[in-house]
Amino acid sequence: MTMLKTRSTGFQAYFRTVGKEGRGIVLLVIVSLLLVAGMGSRLAYLQIVEGQRNRQLADENRIRLIPKPPERGKILDRKGRVLAGNSFSYSVFVWPMAAKKSNWPRTLELLAQILKVPEEEINHRVQQAGVNSPSLIRVAQGISQAQIVALEEHRAELEGIEIDREAMRLYPHGEIAAHILGYIGELNAEELEERRDQGYRLGDVIGQMGVEASYEETLRGTWGGQQVEVDGEGKVIRILGQKIARPGNDITLSIDLDVQRAAEAALGNRTGAIVAMDPEDGSILALVSRPAFDPNWFARRMSESQWQELQRRQNPFVNRALQGFPPASTYKIVTATAGLESEYFGPDSVLMTYSALNTGGFAFHDWNRAGFGSLGFAGALAWSSNTFFGQVARRIGPESLIDWSRRYGMGEKTGIDLPGEAAGFIPTPEWKEEVFGEGWYDGDSLITSIGQGALQVSPLQAAVMFAVPANNGYRVRPHLIRSTENPDKWRQSLNLQPSTVSVLRQGLRQVVTGGTGAALNVPNIAIAGKSGTGEDPPRPHHTWFGGYAPADKPEIVVVAFAENSGGGGGSVGGPMVLNVIQAYVKHNSSK
């Protein structure tokens, strides 16, 4: 205490001797020393304690990653021919971080003039990415040589604008196989938000339909990019490293381009669908839907004329091969199976046919209004007798028809690797009671037995149905990816009696040799099949034909469907099926 008191007294004496001005200087020195000590301790803390973190922040401010999108994988047909590939062209990008904000209005004006893209669209893309985005923002694809020259002439006024070569999706066959392949398009804001955690970025393209959508993860590839060092204004000083983008994987489809072309030509401008399939394992050889579209239109900026053309077509994005329609008399395959597998009928059963069956005060007519006399199951299929199959349905009851419809795969999706498939519909007594508040009548069984009424089956489901007699009793699962695995992976037995399969095959062959499918009775190819004409009042009726060949050892099933075409199934659908089968035989003669 004595020492402290003495020291305090000394300071007081000192201050009295130096005067007022001296005391101010001393205080300033003391404060300065305190400030220096504080700054030193803070500097030591930042360098020693927080040094690593601050170095990381500094690097993040001067090092940028310029991402590079990958090349999308190709889609090939079963023989290795390209159905969807890539071509290289030049695109224009805005690099917001490197563009001078004060010059942006003039830059935007020039870009819009040269690229023929509205200013609002370019500005929206940049704003969506953020004005400090380190990424290149694509604002135009597939620019012309004249546009490249114009951009280079204005290079001094276009800071932050880059021209780069990139892969663009190309569908070399135009509308061919459009509903199989689908198309790609840039992610919208909602899609980007949903997929951001999967590595997608602004400007990314994604499969929007068909195989492009189903196999997006396989086709898309992995992003690459350049790591660059930038100065305070965002200009690149040097490239630090580069990660090569990894292209997506190619996929090979079961589609045969030759058969696909033949199916496209056979359907022509009709609204409808054609499905060609290997009956042994469900491999799709061709699948056509009309109206269609050109997927190339979506791979780059669509023109106004292209957009207007799409508006004139009737639902071009609906894949009619996967949508349900009344199957008409093609469904008699199911009715025949249900009868032959029941306790009431056998392979030698014969029924008298009539001009009409009377039920509940209504006449259920045969299509020729006269009947066909006595027929067995094979003859009834050949002549497509309504009254024959109506009598079968009466005897076996609705439960059996419903059961065998489900066994054939109706009323549920086939599981094909395409989005947008409909399940179709099987009417039941429970459904009728719930919807109409009334029971199931005899007339409901009669109308269902010939594939009319509320029954809905897609052309693809019909192809699965025709494959059952073709492959001796197996229900197959259709698929588009080419498989070399055992066919048993793709099918299950319906456990039909051999006699049932035999009668079905006899009847379907007689359809062509002497029944409603005579248009397919040609030399050198033995074809079996079944026609159908589906009512759709007040519009013209639908027409169907399904067939397979060779009749003794089938390799291909073809189903043709023409929506509201009018005419008969044999005369409208039959020639379409014949053309597809002939193309298959021509291009696969060595099989």
Side-chain angles (χ1 to χ4, degrees):
M1 287 293 294
T2 304
M3 185 180 294
L4 290 174
K5 185 181 291 186
T6 304
R7 186 175 295 175
S8 175
T9 304
F11 275 124
Q12 292 173 359
Y14 174 77
F15 276 114
R16 282 196 297 270
T17 59
V18 298
K20 184 176 180 180
E21 182 177 345
R23 287 196 297 273
I25 293 172
V26 172
L27 286 172
L28 182 61
V29 170
I30 293 172
V31 170
S32 297
L33 289 172
L34 290 173
L35 288 173
V36 169
M39 291 173 63
S41 62
R42 179 60 179 168
L43 183 61
Y45 174 78
L46 292 174
Q47 288 182 331
I48 298 171
V49 179
E50 292 287 319
Q52 183 175 355
R53 178 174 178 272
N54 287 320
R55 280 192 295 274
Q56 181 180 350
L57 291 173
D59 284 343
E60 289 176 354
N61 284 332
R62 67 184 179 84
I63 296 174
R64 293 288 186 267
L65 180 67
I66 304 175
K68 294 286 184 181
E71 182 179 344
R72 199 166 177 85
K74 295 188 288 293
I75 303 174
L76 311 172
D77 90 328
R78 67 192 298 116
K79 297 175 182 175
R81 292 169 291 193
V82 176
L83 300 175
N86 303 288
S87 63
F88 287 88
S89 62
Y90 286 93
S91 298
V92 179
F93 300 84
V94 173
W95 193 2
M97 188 180 67
K100 284 188 176 180
K101 308 303 180 288
S102 59
N103 294 343
W104 179 242
R106 174 57 179 162
T107 300
L108 183 61
E109 180 184 2
L110 274 174
L111 279 179
Q113 289 176 0
I114 295 171
L115 301 177
K116 305 288 191 294
V117 177
E119 289 186 25
E120 297 79 10
E121 183 176 326
I122 298 173
N123 204 41
H124 174 71
R125 286 176 174 267
V126 174
Q127 295 301 322
Q128 189 178 6
V131 293
N132 294 316
S133 173
S135 300
L136 298 175
I137 311 304
R138 185 192 305 108
V139 295
Q141 286 181 297
I143 62 173
S144 66
Q145 191 63 40
Q147 288 173 317
I148 294 174
V149 171
L151 289 169
E152 291 297 339
E153 287 176 349
H154 292 86
R155 172 60 68 182
E157 301 174 81
L158 294 173
E159 285 190 322
I161 304 304
E162 299 288 338
I163 303 171
D164 203 358
R165 188 169 175 263
E166 68 170 350
M168 290 181 63
R169 204 55 160 166
L170 175 67
Y171 302 90
H173 309 291
E175 292 189 7
I176 300 291
H179 289 88
I180 297 172
L181 302 173
Y183 63 92
I184 62 167
E186 281 194 21
L187 289 163
N188 59 35
E190 183 178 337
E191 290 170 332
L192 178 60
E193 191 61 33
E194 291 175 355
R195 293 178 176 262
R196 197 182 295 275
D197 60 351
Q198 299 173 31
Y200 285 88
R201 308 160 192 254
L202 184 69
D204 265 1
V205 297
I206 188 172
Q208 300 283 357
M209 182 182 168
V211 168
E212 294 278 24
S214 296
Y215 291 95
E216 167 66 20
E217 293 303 313
T218 303
L219 293 166
R220 69 176 284 218
T222 303
W223 278 74
Q226 288 182 332
Q227 192 178 42
V228 299
E229 184 178 359
V230 298
D231 61 17
E233 296 182 353
K235 297 184 181 301
V236 176
I237 301 172
R238 61 185 174 128
I239 296 174
L240 302 176
Q242 182 165 307
K243 176 187 175 184
I244 304 299
R246 182 174 62 81
N249 295 318
D250 298 343
I251 59 175
T252 300
L253 302 183
S254 57
I255 295 300
D256 184 320
L257 182 57
D258 298 312
V259 179
Q260 181 73 30
R261 286 186 186 278
E264 304 265 359
L267 188 58
N269 293 324
R270 297 182 184 91
T271 298
I274 293 180
V275 176
M277 184 176 73
D278 184 334
E280 289 299 313
D281 67 355
S283 298
I284 300 298
L285 301 171
L287 188 149
V288 182
S289 178
R290 285 281 191 272
F293 57 91
D294 186 343
N296 287 301
W297 293 357
F298 298 89
R300 49 192 58 78
R301 183 180 175 82
M302 187 180 294
S303 69
E304 180 63 25
S305 62
Q306 290 169 341
W307 175 251
Q308 292 300 326
E309 174 59 28
L310 281 177
Q311 304 313 301
R312 287 191 288 270
R313 300 183 183 184
Q314 182 185 0
N315 302 318
F317 302 108
V318 173
N319 189 342
R320 286 167 169 80
L322 309 184
Q323 305 307 307
F325 304 91
S329 291
T330 63
Y331 179 79
K332 289 171 182 174
I333 293 174
V334 176
T335 307
T337 302
L340 290 165
E341 291 290 314
S342 75
E343 61 181 309
Y344 303 107
F345 300 98
D348 298 321
S349 295
V350 174
L351 294 174
M352 178 60 71
T353 62
Y354 305 95
S355 61
L357 299 176
N358 295 311
T359 177
F362 294 95
F364 177 74
H365 289 281
D366 224 319
W367 63 269
N368 68 348
R369 300 286 174 141
F372 299 91
S374 297
L375 292 175
F377 275 88
L381 285 168
W383 290 108
S384 197
S385 172
N386 292 344
T387 58
F388 180 97
F389 290 104
Q391 291 177 78
V392 171
R394 271 180 169 174
R395 181 69 62 85
I396 64 176
E399 293 79 11
S400 184
L401 276 180
I402 293 165
D403 176 48
W404 279 101
S405 296
R406 288 173 175 158
R407 293 196 202 188
Y408 267 87
M410 298 170 186
E412 63 181 81
K413 296 179 181 180
T414 67
I416 190 173
D417 38 346
L418 283 178
E421 182 182 13
F425 183 72
I426 304 170
T428 65
E430 295 76 18
W431 162 79
K432 191 180 179 196
E433 181 66 40
E434 180 181 347
V435 173
F436 297 102
E438 59 184 31
W440 186 271
Y441 301 131
D442 187 45
D444 295 314
S445 293
L446 298 182
I447 200 72
T448 301
S449 74
I450 62 170
Q452 297 284 178
L455 185 66
Q456 298 277 301
V457 174
S458 72
L460 182 62
Q461 289 171 323
V464 172
M465 176 183 69
F466 276 96
V468 172
N471 63 29
N472 291 309
Y474 291 89
R475 171 181 159 187
V476 296
R477 177 158 56 94
H479 56 279
L480 283 162
I481 292 295
R482 187 168 189 195
S483 172
T484 57
E485 297 176 278
N486 190 306
D488 288 341
K489 174 186 176 180
W490 302 101
R491 64 188 193 178
Q492 63 182 55
S493 176
L494 296 186
N495 298 312
L496 299 178
Q497 301 175 71
S499 59
T500 297
V501 175
S502 178
V503 170
L504 291 176
R505 293 183 70 150
Q506 289 173 35
L508 296 176
R509 177 61 178 147
Q510 289 177 26
V511 167
V512 175
T513 58
T516 59
L520 291 88
N521 194 20
V522 296
N524 304 322
I525 309 174
I527 302 173
K530 182 73 188 77
S531 60
T533 305
E535 296 179 358
D536 188 30
R539 295 174 289 272
H541 45 253
H542 308 308
T543 51
W544 294 81
F545 198 94
Y548 55 80
D552 59 338
K553 193 176 180 181
E555 296 178 8
I556 183 172
V557 163
V558 183
V559 170
F561 167 74
E563 184 178 341
N564 300 123
S565 64
S571 60
V572 176
M576 289 192 268
V577 171
L578 175 61
N579 289 342
V580 176
I581 291 175
Q582 287 176 325
Y584 172 82
V585 172
K586 175 182 177 181
H587 295 285
N588 295 275
S589 57
S590 61
K591 182 175 175 180

